[in-house]
């Protein structure tokens, strides 16, 4: 029996959100409620009626054990880029010069 | 779905009720009808003999050429937008107007939304059967007017008479009115 | 460079007002997501894996220091302090809020920038050679024509809902630095026997799942007739391009279906009807636009000034940077400098807000305030005095922007991949980082010499893997990343689509395979020929055999 969570992007800022047990949306995957595939389908349908709150709700498969999504794409989506980016990723001058 | 006609006087709502027929629909005894191309080709004399108005609608894949021989007998041609994102009718409109010289009413039907009305008018449509927004907010002459006046300038020469920016620049350089 | 007049300003201001209204209508529910999506895309707004992404056009790659500072400001205020320069002369911001985008567009409009038609099934940002106007091999400057095309394609009423996206590139060089053979339409300035310059029109090139080298549709179109010719092509495509399958909707598929001759017959029939009509750009408009691209006031300088030679002999690092990143200029005493956005272990094409500000300062100090964005995702300073190269280099070193790898193996083109992109199947950035770490020895890179290495995280080929001398395609193999190695691609006028050298590599495996490929090249290289020449001479087999033997 596959276990799923329901995710979407928030309309106003586009950030990834997850459906919680309280029927709200959270940015934290830890807050996601776990559904059976059947219940997830119902929840996705409900979310699609919240057209001014979220965009593109869908069900995400979880690994057989644990609470991580099974596909790499969904794991990256849940936790962010796998690389340092922006000011945190600036390469030190000495190395960049290749000197 | 308010149908409006664009005339020199402005945007005029059309009161006539037009029935759009599919390929297998019976032609009603009375009332204005839009018939599909195949019906027109098969029954044009009978259709023209009716007391009420008849127009032909082209589906998005049907070409301007298919009507070119009949354009002088037609007062209404409608082009269908099966989805607003299907832009074939813009080119079909250009060809009907510019290549075949059609001067009758050219009506946009189907998924006709406020955000694409400018393109329609610029490519030669002069009647718009505008669909209401999903919220159900009404489409009025005012909302259509607002959508059509969104841009005061255009860069290209199209079917409408609007001078492109390059012509305005030329006038400005010549010391005329910008 | 081109400056907006009041008319151009008005058009862009009205666009900002229109999109602001559309955003409000989306937020209030008047527009469904399905209705809003094409509208936001035509304003450069995607919904990606983690957030919205805003793609801002850098029309034909030209920036001023003022524009660059505004991009830095937007990165800082509305995003997370950085931006990503793309292969089509755009910059992407990865984290903007939808509700902030009207304000961002307003800020861009103030500096004569916009995000118009950077996505959607319309004519996209027209691109050109990053060295336009300064390259020594140029037939004519393509930038005035790129601006003519920008204006013509902006809100074209007939061609805004095409079957699929439509990309145009124009190049003026004998060397094609704009990948004109891989665009829906490529335009190359050519000279007829009469001495007149005109356009060679290439159609149906592209990458993606059906890669095609574009084919010459017309060998010479007079400059005065370019718009009618393009309208004829677009009209045929708009009416007859497939709309039932998005993977078969590009113009290359229509050209395949009709054959080149059949397609040409359709275009010519339409062209004869509209050729020379009011659709053409008036001569005085071309002249008006052309005047903006007049030469700056060059100083009378000589090539190779003594201070440059002295600095080159003093510092091998500077000397290496000059050899790789400094290009000959058509004006004596000047140089066109590539600032690499590919530091070892870095993210190809990314620049922080601070780096953008620094680049703007360097442009003011050393390049008459001008910058360019290259399709290799680097920044070009087009007007640098050779006697100031050393000072510029020192300034770049201090900012971490002096990587001496232009055109070398670590000058990697990479798409954002699965770290950001909703369409990707595999990550590109970590792989680019691993490869540049593996080849971090700059002396070794210079020894390997000229080679292009391109990485795409899916078959859509935003990272141009088909046309890299070495290309890598990321795929999804049962939920895991897998990489395919492609060899022999070429994005220039000797255009070629790469051959598959092997599928099924892990990220580490593909880096090893590249080592093997380079080993074969170095062993087989004759007379210092570049990688692509060796590949063409010996073919795929020796590379494939070596890769398989090492696996």
């Amino acid at each position: 029996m596959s276990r799923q969570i329901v995710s979407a992007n928030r309309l106003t800022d586009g950030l990834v959100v997850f459906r919680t047990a309280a029927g709200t949306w959270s940015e934290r995957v830890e807050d996601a409620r776990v559904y059976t595939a059947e219940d997830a389908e119902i929840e996705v349908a409900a979310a699609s009626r919240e057209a001014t709150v979220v965009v593109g709700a869908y069900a995400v498969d979880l690994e057989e054990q644990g609470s991580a999504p099974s596909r790499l794409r969904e794991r990256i989506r849940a936790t962010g880029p796998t690389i340092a980016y922006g000011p945190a990723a600036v390469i030190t001058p000495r190395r960049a010069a290749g000197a | 779905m308010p149908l409006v006609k664009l005339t020199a006087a402005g945007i005029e709502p059309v009161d006539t009720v037009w029935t759009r027929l599919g390929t297998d629909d019976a032609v009603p005894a009375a009332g204005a009808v839009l018939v599909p191309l195949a019906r027109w080709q098969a029954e044009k004399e009978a259709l023209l003999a009716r007391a009420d108005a008849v127009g032909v609608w082209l589906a998005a894949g049907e070409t301007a050429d298919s009507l070119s021989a009949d354009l002088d007998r037609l007062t209404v041609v409608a082009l269908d937008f099966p989805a607003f994102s299907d832009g074939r009718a813009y080119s079909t409109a250009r060809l009907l107007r510019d290549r075949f010289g059609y001067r009758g009413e050219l009506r946009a039907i189907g998924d006709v939304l406020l955000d694409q009305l400018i393109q329609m008018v610029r490519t030669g449509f002069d009647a718009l059967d505008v669909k209401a927004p999903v919220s159900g907010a009404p489409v009025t002459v005012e909302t259509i007017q607002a959508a059509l006046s969104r841009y005061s300038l255009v860069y290209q020469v199209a079917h409408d008479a609007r001078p492109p920016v390059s012509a305005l620049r030329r006038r400005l350089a010549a010391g005329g009115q910008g | 460079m081109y400056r907006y007049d009041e008319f151009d300003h008005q058009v862009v201001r009205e666009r900002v007002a229109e999109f602001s209204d559309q955003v409000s209508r989306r937020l209030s529910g008047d527009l469904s997501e399905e209705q809003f999506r094409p509208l936001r895309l035509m304003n450069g707004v995607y919904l990606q894996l983690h957030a919205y992404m805003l793609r801002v056009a850098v029309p034909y790659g030209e920036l001023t220091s003022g524009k660059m500072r505004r991009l830095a400001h937007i990165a800082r205020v509305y995003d997370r302090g950085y931006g990503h320069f793309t292969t089509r002369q755009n910059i992407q911001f990865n984290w903007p809020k939808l509700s902030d985008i009207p304000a961002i567009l307003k800020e861009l409009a103030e500096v004569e920038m916009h995000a118009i038609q950077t996505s959607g099934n319309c004519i996209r940002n027209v691109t050109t050679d990053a060295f336009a106007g300064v390259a020594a091999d140029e037939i004519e400057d393509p930038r005035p024509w790129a601006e003519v095309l920008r204006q013509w394609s902006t809100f074209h009423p007939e061609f805004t809902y095409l079957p699929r996206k439509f990309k145009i590139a124009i190049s003026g060089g004998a060397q094609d630095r704009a990948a004109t053979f891989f665009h829906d339409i490529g335009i190359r300035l050519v000279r007829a026997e009469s001495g007149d310059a005109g356009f060679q029109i290439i159609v149906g090139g592209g990458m993606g799942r059906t890669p095609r080298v574009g084919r010459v549709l017309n060998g010479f179109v007079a400059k005065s007739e370019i718009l009618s010719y393009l309208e004829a092509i677009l009209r045929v495509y708009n009416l007859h391009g497939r709309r039932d399958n998005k993977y078969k909707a590009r113009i290359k598929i229509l050209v395949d279906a009709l054959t080149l001759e059949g397609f040409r017959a359709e275009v010519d029939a339409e062209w004869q009807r509209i050729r020379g009509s009011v659709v053409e750009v008036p001569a005085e408009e071309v002249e008006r636009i052309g005047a903006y691209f007049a030469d700056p006031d060059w100083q009378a300088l000589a090539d190779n000034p003594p201070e440059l030679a002295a600095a080159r002999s003093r510092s091998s690092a500077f000397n290496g940077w000059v050899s790789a990143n400094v290009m000959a200029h058509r004006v004596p005493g000047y140089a066109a400098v590539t600032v690499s956005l590919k530091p070892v272990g870095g993210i190809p094409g990314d620049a922080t807000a601070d780096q953008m500000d620094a680049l703007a300062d360097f442009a003011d100090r050393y390049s008459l305030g001008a910058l360019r964005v290259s399709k290799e995702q680097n920044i070009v300073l087009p007007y640098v005095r050779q006697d100031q190269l050393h000072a510029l280099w020192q300034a770049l070193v201090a900012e971490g922007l002096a990587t001496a790898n232009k055109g070398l193996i670590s000058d990697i083109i990479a798409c954002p991949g699965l770290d950001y992109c909703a369409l990707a199947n595999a990550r590109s950035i970590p792989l680019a980082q691993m490869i540049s770490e593996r080849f971090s020895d700059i002396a070794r890179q210079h020894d390997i010499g000229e080679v292009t290495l391109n990485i795409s995280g899916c078959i859509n080929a935003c990272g141009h893997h088909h046309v890299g001398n070495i290309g890598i395609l990321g795929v999804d193999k049962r939920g895991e990343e897998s990489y395919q190695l492609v060899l022999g691609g070429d994005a220039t006028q000797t255009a070629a689509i790469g051959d598959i050298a092997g599928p099924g590599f892990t990220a580490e495996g593909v880096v090893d395979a590249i080592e093997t490929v380079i080993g074969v090249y170095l062993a087989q290289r004759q007379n210092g020929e570049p990688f692509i020449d060796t590949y063409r001479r010996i073919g795929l087999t020796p590379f494939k055999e070596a890769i398989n033997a090492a696996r």
Side-chain angles (χ1 to χ4, degrees):
Chain A
M1 192 67 211
S2 77
R3 299 177 314 132
Q4 297 183 324
I5 56 177
V6 171
S7 183
N9 291 79
R10 195 156 50 206
L11 176 65
T12 51
D13 60 10
L15 294 182
V16 175
V17 287
F18 300 92
R19 191 71 148 178
T20 69
T24 57
W25 297 95
S26 167
E27 288 175 34
R28 292 159 31 94
V29 66
E30 296 82 4
D31 296 339
R33 177 172 173 186
V34 179
Y35 300 93
T36 63
E38 277 175 357
D39 288 348
E41 199 177 320
I42 293 165
E43 217 45 42
V44 168
S48 71
R49 288 188 291 273
E50 296 179 34
T52 59
V53 180
V54 291
V55 182
Y58 66 106
V60 177
D61 286 326
L62 296 183
E63 286 175 336
E64 282 175 28
Q65 265 90 45
S67 59
S70 53
R71 291 180 59 209
L72 175 64
R73 175 188 197 272
E74 299 306 330
R75 290 199 296 276
I76 292 174
R77 192 167 169 278
T79 53
T82 63
I83 36 138
Y85 58 81
V90 171
I91 306 296
T92 59
R94 188 197 56 80
R95 247 180 113 197
Chain B
M1 279 245 242
L3 173 62
V4 298
K5 183 121 170 89
L6 308 177
T7 68
I11 300 168
E12 295 176 2
V14 174
D15 295 328
T16 311
V17 177
W18 285 80
T19 306
R20 177 178 168 183
L21 300 181
T23 319
D24 299 321
D25 298 334
V27 179
V33 290
L34 278 180
V35 302
L37 176 64
R39 292 292 288 279
W40 167 254
Q41 286 168 336
E43 305 164 35
K44 64 178 84 158
E45 300 311 327
L47 288 164
L48 287 170
R50 287 174 85 249
D52 291 314
V54 62
V56 179
W57 69 270
L58 297 185
E62 292 172 336
T63 63
D65 308 49
S66 58
L67 270 186
S68 58
D70 293 334
L71 289 172
D72 52 359
R73 308 174 74 183
L74 286 168
T75 51
V76 174
V77 173
L79 302 181
D80 182 46
F81 288 83
F84 73 93
S85 53
D86 185 329
R88 281 176 283 186
Y90 299 118
S91 287
T92 308
R94 291 296 304 269
L95 292 175
L96 283 169
R97 291 295 196 203
D98 302 345
R99 185 196 287 181
F100 299 114
Y102 175 62
R103 288 290 166 264
E105 177 182 317
L106 189 56
R107 186 185 302 174
I109 60 171
D111 201 17
V112 177
L113 307 177
L114 288 170
D115 294 288
Q116 289 82 38
L117 298 185
I118 291 181
Q119 287 98 302
M120 293 173 189
V121 172
R122 295 216 66 214
T123 51
F125 290 93
D126 60 354
L128 308 165
D129 199 355
V130 187
K131 219 165 136 175
V134 282
S135 64
V139 173
T140 63
V141 166
E142 289 69 34
T143 53
I144 293 171
Q145 182 63 57
L148 289 175
S149 25
R150 177 62 82 191
Y151 288 96
S152 58
L153 298 165
V154 296
Y155 279 121
Q156 317 76 7
V157 176
H159 176 76
D160 59 346
R162 297 179 76 173
V165 162
S166 59
L168 304 180
R169 287 174 175 140
R170 187 164 47 197
R171 279 184 219 164
L172 200 63
Q177 289 294 307
Chain C
M1 74 178 295
Y2 186 70
R3 295 298 316 264
Y4 284 11
D5 65 5
E6 195 38 49
F7 296 122
D8 298 309
H9 272 295
Q10 181 77 5
V11 169
V12 175
R13 275 198 300 264
E14 287 174 349
R15 177 60 152 203
V16 174
E18 180 190 44
F19 189 59
S20 304
D21 171 60
Q22 288 166 342
V23 169
S24 308
R25 284 157 58 211
R26 174 68 189 96
L27 294 173
S28 74
D30 264 6
L31 284 173
S32 68
E33 182 62 20
E34 191 194 5
Q35 291 172 337
F36 180 60
R37 192 171 170 275
L39 305 177
R40 67 166 159 78
L41 289 174
M42 273 186 258
N43 286 282
V45 182
Y46 284 74
L47 187 51
Q48 290 289 21
L49 206 54
H50 308 291
Y52 289 104
M53 180 194 91
L54 176 64
R55 180 182 293 156
V56 174
V58 181
Y60 38 96
E62 282 218 314
L63 282 174
T64 58
S65 53
K67 291 180 183 192
M68 187 66 114
R69 286 192 187 97
R70 185 56 58 94
L71 294 175
H73 164 79
I74 287 167
R76 219 172 257 129
V77 173
Y78 302 99
D79 207 274
R80 297 188 178 176
Y82 70 109
H84 175 75
F85 291 98
T86 78
T87 57
R88 289 204 79 258
Q89 300 180 314
N90 298 302
I91 179 170
Q92 293 175 175
F93 295 106
N94 290 303
W95 307 93
K97 294 180 177 143
L98 179 62
S99 48
D100 279 344
I101 288 175
I104 298 173
L105 295 178
K106 192 162 173 282
E107 296 229 25
L108 288 169
E110 288 167 4
V111 295
E112 306 178 13
M113 294 187 78
H114 59 69
I116 294 167
Q117 292 170 210
T118 54
S119 178
N121 294 336
C122 50
I123 303 170
R124 302 285 187 87
N125 184 32
V126 175
T127 56
T128 190
D129 182 359
F131 298 96
V134 300
D137 68 345
E138 196 159 88
I139 290 153
E140 250 180 42
D141 189 345
R143 293 173 300 165
W145 293 99
E147 176 59 25
V148 167
L149 297 184
R150 184 190 73 83
Q151 297 190 18
W152 162 76
S153 62
T154 297
F155 314 148
H156 197 295
E158 192 180 340
F159 307 130
T160 298
Y161 292 94
L162 295 168
R164 199 74 178 86
K165 59 186 167 185
F166 204 91
K167 299 176 181 177
I168 301 177
I170 178 166
S171 165
Q175 176 80 12
D176 177 5
R177 288 171 291 263
T180 57
F181 283 92
F182 294 98
H183 278 75
D184 294 286
I185 294 178
I187 304 176
R188 296 187 74 195
L189 274 151
V190 291
R191 207 169 281 290
E193 278 176 30
S194 65
D196 291 343
F199 299 117
Q200 180 190 57
I201 308 294
I202 298 153
V203 72
M207 295 183 246
R209 67 190 65 215
T210 316
R212 287 285 181 278
V213 176
R215 288 180 284 171
V216 177
L217 186 64
N218 193 317
F220 191 89
V221 172
K223 291 197 279 189
S224 61
E225 296 183 329
I226 184 65
L227 292 192
S228 64
Y229 196 74
L230 295 180
E231 292 226 348
I233 296 174
L234 266 297
R235 189 164 293 149
V236 169
Y237 171 57
N238 190 38
L239 284 168
H240 303 298
R242 283 181 66 169
R243 290 177 187 262
D244 59 329
N245 179 342
K246 70 180 278 198
Y247 302 118
K248 296 185 189 303
R250 296 288 288 271
I251 196 171
K252 60 193 171 188
I253 306 293
L254 180 64
V255 175
D256 281 357
L258 296 178
T259 72
L260 182 65
E261 293 67 33
F263 181 77
R264 184 183 290 132
E266 293 271 341
V267 170
D268 282 347
E270 184 58 22
W271 189 35
Q272 292 316 321
R273 203 175 61 75
I274 59 174
R275 187 175 181 179
S277 70
V278 287
V279 308
E280 308 292 5
V281 57
E284 62 266 36
E285 179 67 4
V286 178
E287 204 175 307
R288 184 191 75 86
I289 290 172
Y292 287 103
F293 298 95
D295 277 347
D297 288 329
W298 306 115
Q299 311 279 309
L301 301 169
D303 275 334
N304 299 315
E307 48 272 68
L308 174 61
R312 290 185 77 161
S313 63
R314 241 183 1 254
S315 159
S316 65
F318 173 64
N319 188 47
W321 178 81
V322 171
S323 329
N325 292 38
V326 175
M327 193 175 106
H329 201 286
R330 67 180 173 82
V331 178
Y334 285 84
V337 169
T338 294
V339 179
S340 170
L341 297 182
K342 320 289 176 63
V344 172
I347 299 174
D350 274 18
T352 64
D354 289 350
Q355 287 173 330
M356 291 183 220
D357 276 338
L359 286 166
D361 289 347
F362 302 154
D364 279 339
R365 239 184 291 161
Y366 301 107
S367 183
L368 307 176
L371 310 97
R372 308 279 179 83
V373 180
S374 78
K375 77 171 170 62
E376 289 76 21
Q377 305 178 276
N378 292 316
I379 299 296
V380 171
L381 298 173
Y383 305 130
V384 182
R385 287 171 57 142
Q386 291 176 12
D387 58 9
Q388 296 186 337
L389 281 170
H390 189 251
L392 169 61
W393 176 74
Q394 287 178 310
L396 290 170
V397 168
E399 293 294 332
L401 289 167
T403 314
N405 62 348
K406 188 208 161 199
L408 304 180
I409 196 163
S410 67
D411 186 8
I412 297 168
I413 290 178
C415 71
L418 193 51
D419 281 301
Y420 290 101
C421 179
L423 299 175
N425 291 320
R427 286 173 292 169
S428 303
I429 295 168
L431 187 55
Q433 291 172 321
M434 283 168 67
I435 295 167
S436 77
E437 294 277 5
R438 179 72 71 94
F439 289 92
S440 61
D441 178 353
I442 200 76
R444 183 170 171 226
Q445 288 193 50
H446 280 257
D447 177 47
I448 295 165
E450 198 182 304
V451 59
T452 57
L453 197 161
N454 301 351
I455 307 172
S456 303
C458 80
I459 192 64
N460 292 308
C462 296
H464 294 189
H465 67 278
H466 293 298
V467 299
N469 297 165
I470 299 172
I472 300 166
L473 166 65
V475 298
D476 178 313
K477 210 166 150 191
R478 292 187 286 291
E480 297 301 322
E481 293 166 304
S482 175
Y483 296 92
Q484 185 182 85
L485 186 65
V486 174
L487 296 176
D490 179 353
T492 72
Q493 69 280 2
T494 44
I497 292 161
D499 309 309
I500 297 172
F505 294 101
T506 61
E508 293 75 14
V510 87
V511 182
D512 290 340
I514 291 167
E515 282 267 19
T516 305
V517 164
I518 292 300
V520 171
Y521 159 61
L522 292 175
Q524 300 280 340
R525 172 163 70 182
Q526 290 178 0
N527 310 317
E529 68 190 354
F531 177 88
I532 189 69
D533 289 1
T534 304
Y535 181 84
R536 286 190 171 138
R537 189 166 50 70
I538 68 174
L540 174 64
T541 311
F543 292 97
K544 212 168 167 174
E545 283 172 359
I547 292 165
N548 288 337
R551 255 175 138 169

